[in-house]
Amino acid sequence: LLAYVRTGDIHDPADKIGLAALTASVMRTGGTVSREPDDLNETLEFIAGSVESSMSTEFATIGLSVMRKDIDLGIEIFADVLMNPAFREGKIELARNQALEGVRRQNDNPYGIAGRELSNIVFGDHPYANTATVESITSITREDMVAFHDAHYRPGGISIAVSGDFDKDAIIAKLEDAFGEWTAPVVEHPPAPPVEDLADSTGIFHAEKEIPQTAVWFGHVGVKRTNPDWFSILVMNEVLGGGGLFTARLPSEIRSNRGLAYSVGASYRRMNQRGLFRVYCVTRPDATAQCIEATREILHGMRDEQVTDEELDLVKNLNINSFVFAYTSSGQIAHQDLRIDFLGYPANFL
């Protein structure tokens, strides 16, 4: 059983970046009003079940896995976690300390630094570039988490998919019984501002770190989640270097042929507004200029020249032949259908 919740990191207050993620974490670890955390964990362990809660940029998820014989208890716990989290102070403090450790270590890795700074440069003050700090994490209180949950975890903004061995009418009745009295009104949260309104950020930017390694990111604003050209973009990106193929243009030329990078590739992230296109390479300092120039050459070639029939056929066939593996279980099918419906893709998307 999986629920999608219409919320996300983009709804963090400007002075409390990290609130959404902490709320999702402590919803699960902090137990519920009627269930202490240890009791909840022991119950789930006894029935070989699990309940997991997570937060992403534009939505949250809560999932339940349980054996058929324990479905009644599983749904009861699932609904309790979703509707009645207790946000106990001890678990809040533990989650806060873990988040603070992550913030303090975020400058350890040059690859991560460059990726974060690229997002900040491209998106500016947009919520897509939100980055937690020691100050923002420290300022988050239990009252903030309770208020965030009350504002965002509401029945009108939640969709649920169920898969497994069950009778459809019976499982719907169980869910209606579990959530029947949850009647909080829908809150209309303003959408994130349009990315197109941001100022141009073309340029070369540096984040100095005295280590024997250089991480370089190229990037610019990408496309909306529902862009009709998405599959063409996906194929293009994998020809360039986004699918892990050693024969793709970036890794084959920069890493294999020229030996200029430890790691090189491309990624294309879709968002409700506009996402982010990125190309990266990690190299040694003395090869930095060569790596940048070689990457620019390949990017220009991707833009200005036709891909070969061999490149196109390889990537298309890999995608077509691997498609079935995303639907090898009823759970994957149900969850894909839920995601497509929740994110507003067209009905014939697949």
Side-chain angles (χ1 to χ4, degrees):
L1 190 152
L2 181 68
Y4 271 57
V5 185
R6 207 165 296 284
T7 179
D9 292 330
I10 57 171
H11 295 294
D12 279 339
D15 60 342
K16 295 183 183 291
I17 305 301
L19 173 59
L22 280 179
T23 300
S25 174
V26 184
M27 276 181 65
R28 169 61 185 89
T29 62
T32 69
V33 174
S34 61
R35 290 180 168 90
E36 291 286 336
D38 288 345
D39 293 338
L40 176 59
N41 293 335
E42 288 175 7
T43 300
L44 288 170
E45 184 178 353
F46 182 75
I47 63 174
S50 66
V51 173
E52 304 295 338
S53 174
S54 67
M55 183 69 64
S56 65
T57 304
E58 295 179 321
F59 58 87
T61 62
I62 299 183
L64 165 71
S65 175
V66 71
M67 289 188 287
R68 183 188 185 201
K69 67 181 181 62
D70 300 309
I71 187 62
D72 290 345
L73 178 57
I75 289 178
E76 179 186 324
I77 292 173
F78 175 83
D80 200 19
V81 170
L82 189 53
M83 295 188 295
N84 307 304
F87 296 109
R88 289 177 171 83
E89 287 288 359
K91 297 300 183 181
I92 292 175
E93 189 64 21
L94 177 61
R96 183 188 290 116
N97 288 338
Q98 291 171 338
L100 286 172
E101 181 63 18
V103 170
R104 294 186 181 107
R105 296 181 63 86
Q106 67 182 353
N107 290 332
D108 290 353
N109 184 344
Y111 177 88
I113 295 171
R116 183 185 71 239
E117 293 306 313
L118 176 66
S119 293
N120 292 337
I121 292 162
V122 172
F123 292 123
D125 293 332
H126 194 278
Y128 286 169
N130 282 350
T131 302
T133 64
V134 170
E135 291 75 20
S136 70
I137 296 295
T138 302
S139 72
I140 295 170
T141 66
R142 180 181 184 277
E143 290 70 26
D144 294 327
M145 294 185 187
V146 171
F148 189 93
H149 174 268
D150 289 347
H152 293 265
Y153 287 79
R154 291 173 171 258
I158 296 176
S159 298
I160 296 176
V162 189
S163 63
D165 182 13
F166 57 81
D167 175 80
K168 178 180 177 180
D169 293 336
I171 203 72
I172 290 175
K174 293 178 188 295
L175 290 168
E176 289 177 341
D177 183 61
F179 291 103
E181 297 182 1
W182 197 23
T183 57
V186 174
V187 175
E188 293 294 338
H189 300 289
V195 172
E196 292 89 342
D197 291 344
L198 296 177
D200 178 60
S201 57
T202 299
I204 300 173
F205 305 86
H206 303 85
E208 299 290 344
K209 188 172 180 65
E210 294 187 4
I211 57 172
Q213 191 179 76
T214 304
V216 180
W217 285 85
F218 300 75
H220 57 66
V221 171
V223 299
K224 292 186 176 182
R225 192 184 300 279
T226 54
N227 189 292
D229 290 327
W230 169 245
F231 290 105
S232 296
I233 293 169
L234 174 67
V235 170
M236 177 278 298
N237 193 54
E238 293 190 8
V239 169
L240 180 62
L245 287 172
F246 288 115
T247 56
R249 292 187 177 189
L250 285 167
S252 66
E253 182 62 24
I254 294 178
R255 182 179 178 181
S256 300
N257 294 346
R258 304 194 195 185
L260 292 175
Y262 312 120
S263 177
V264 61
S267 67
Y268 220 114
R269 185 184 183 195
R270 292 174 291 169
M271 304 296 285
N272 285 344
Q273 294 296 329
R274 293 182 68 184
L276 181 64
F277 169 66
R278 304 183 296 184
V279 169
Y280 65 89
C281 58
V282 182
T283 185
R284 61 187 190 275
D286 65 286
T288 301
Q290 291 175 279
C291 191
I292 290 174
E293 184 56 33
T295 303
R296 283 169 51 85
E297 290 175 9
I298 293 169
L299 284 171
H300 291 167
M302 194 76 229
R303 179 192 64 196
D304 299 334
E305 303 166 9
Q306 294 285 345
V307 301
T308 66
D309 290 339
E310 291 79 10
E311 289 176 311
L312 189 60
D313 289 343
L314 174 62
V315 171
K316 287 169 67 175
N317 287 332
L318 283 173
N319 276 277
I320 291 168
N321 293 330
S322 64
F323 184 80
V324 66
F325 296 107
Y327 301 90
T328 56
S329 70
S330 60
Q332 289 177 308
I333 293 169
H335 295 168
Q336 290 278 14
D337 285 347
L338 170 62
R339 182 182 179 88
I340 287 168
D341 178 72
F342 185 86
L343 297 178
Y345 291 134
N348 66 343
F349 182 77
L350 294 181

